[in-house]
Amino acid sequence: VSDPRVLGIDLGGTKIAVCTFTPDGRRLDRRQFQTLRGPPEGNLARIVELGRELLAGMAPLAIGVSGGGPLDPRRGVIISIPNLPGWEEVPIAERLRDAFGAPVGIENDANACAIAEHRLGAGRGSKDMVFLTLSTGIGGGLILDGKIYRGHRFLAGEAGHQVIVPGGNPCGCGNRGCLEAYASGTAIARMLSERNEGIATAKELVDRARSGDPRARRSLEDIARFLAMGIANLVYILDPERIILGTIAVAAGDLLLAPLRCEVDRLLWPAFRRDLKILPAGLGLELGDYAAFAVAPM
Ligand SMILES: [Zn+2]
């Protein structure tokens, strides 16, 4: 290997992926391991080991880190990772810079996904777009006027915790009635267990809806109605050109997106509907890997 490579690290509470890319964003190799419990040192050592193996001794051109938790992209510090005690104030950019001798960019995963979709996916060519993860939780990343908008405390885009039902379902964050308590994978699983129709997960729900099960389709329409409220709120505030949705929307496609678009249209003033596109993530289920690539400083 002699061509320059970019290293992308997708750092989550359950798994960590390390990938190499060409500078124009073609993924070459990928390794993944279960996130080790305990202090960050073990995970950092494993990341460095896998990175060196993939790079075959070469220094990377740049390194991107997408982290599943609050972090400070300016200082290059992970503030915390949910469900991973011991990951507090980890200066990951400095550690990786020392290990590989390359510049490091870090971003929280929802923002990193937004940047990747904007550069390489369904957001290409747009100036104002909102990305929502729809997986176990709901996170958001905002591209405004062509740039990621992080907010004063790097917390902008927590769209999953807007309240859509006052006094509603309890949310993992401690509040009630959050969008995440109605339309995330976790919330969907809870709704399905209450309905007791023999479907346990969002994935099973999508499979059953695809095979034509009318009850499964109705459940997806119910989820679309909640999601539409959250999305309409974002459109009224930000007036974006595109809304791009991850994981569950990628798997469900129009089974979710068709009722969602109808419902969003119903909630919005006609002026807001002009050119508004609600799309599944263009990078599909590999978005997490490309998110890490997309935040490498080049
Ligand atoms: Zn919440």
Side-chain angles (χ1 to χ4, degrees):
V1 206
S2 55
D3 299 326
R5 300 283 183 251
V6 175
L7 198 62
I9 298 154
D10 183 14
L11 192 67
T14 54
K15 61 179 171 56
I16 295 174
V18 180
C19 299
T20 47
F21 295 85
T22 61
D24 60 355
R26 193 160 51 84
R27 193 180 63 181
L28 297 167
D29 281 307
R30 180 179 202 278
R31 298 278 189 284
Q32 182 181 309
F33 63 98
Q34 297 287 107
T35 310
L36 308 166
R37 302 286 109 187
E41 276 64 33
N43 289 299
L44 288 171
R46 188 90 183 100
I47 290 168
V48 170
E49 185 189 30
L50 287 177
R52 289 201 170 127
E53 191 187 311
L54 292 178
L55 293 160
M58 272 199 330
L61 205 59
I63 302 171
V65 179
S66 163
L71 46 78
D72 181 339
R74 264 176 230 150
R75 289 187 299 134
V77 170
I78 291 177
I79 296 165
S80 70
I81 294 192
N83 311 319
L84 265 194
W87 283 75
E88 267 115 45
E89 287 287 316
V90 180
I92 192 163
E94 187 189 318
R95 296 290 194 82
L96 295 174
R97 196 161 49 233
D98 290 350
F100 289 101
V104 181
I106 77 169
E107 202 69 62
N108 91 44
D109 53 0
N111 283 0
C113 286
I115 294 168
E117 279 295 316
H118 182 241
R119 273 181 54 191
L120 307 162
R124 262 186 305 183
S126 68
K127 251 174 83 187
D128 301 287
M129 57 156 263
V130 174
F131 172 80
L132 294 181
T133 65
L134 285 186
S135 49
T136 43
I138 296 182
L142 312 174
I143 303 283
L144 302 178
D145 204 12
K147 292 198 307 271
I148 188 76
Y149 178 80
R150 298 189 180 99
H152 182 62
R153 303 163 192 82
F154 316 117
L155 292 173
E158 283 293 358
H161 300 284
Q162 56 177 309
V163 173
I164 55 162
V165 180
N169 290 348
C171 179
C173 75
N175 285 345
R176 280 182 170 272
C178 299
L179 175 63
E180 182 166 301
Y182 289 85
S184 64
T186 315
I188 293 170
R190 188 173 52 198
M191 178 194 82
L192 292 170
S193 100
E194 282 163 8
R195 293 193 175 181
N196 201 16
E197 291 168 353
I199 310 174
T201 63
K203 187 183 178 310
E204 276 176 49
L205 178 67
V206 169
D207 291 344
R208 289 277 282 272
R210 203 173 289 290
S211 72
D213 181 335
R215 287 178 308 177
R217 294 203 168 182
R218 244 185 335 263
S219 291
L220 276 178
E221 285 162 18
D222 291 341
I223 295 158
R225 246 189 316 274
F226 289 118
L227 196 53
M229 270 190 258
I231 288 175
N233 290 342
L234 288 165
V235 174
Y236 278 118
I237 296 167
L238 299 170
D239 186 23
E241 179 183 351
R242 292 181 209 171
I243 306 278
I244 296 168
L245 305 171
T247 320
I248 295 172
V250 171
D254 279 345
L255 290 168
L256 178 71
L257 294 172
L260 177 66
R261 290 181 187 120
C262 269
E263 193 61 18
V264 170
D265 274 2
R266 202 181 62 78
L267 293 169
L268 289 177
W269 297 344
F272 278 106
R273 294 183 217 145
R274 195 169 53 81
D275 302 333
L276 176 67
K277 289 200 172 66
I278 302 177
L279 302 167
L283 297 166
L285 300 175
E286 277 150 16
L287 175 54
D289 291 346
Y290 287 97
F293 164 79
V295 301
M298 286 190 292

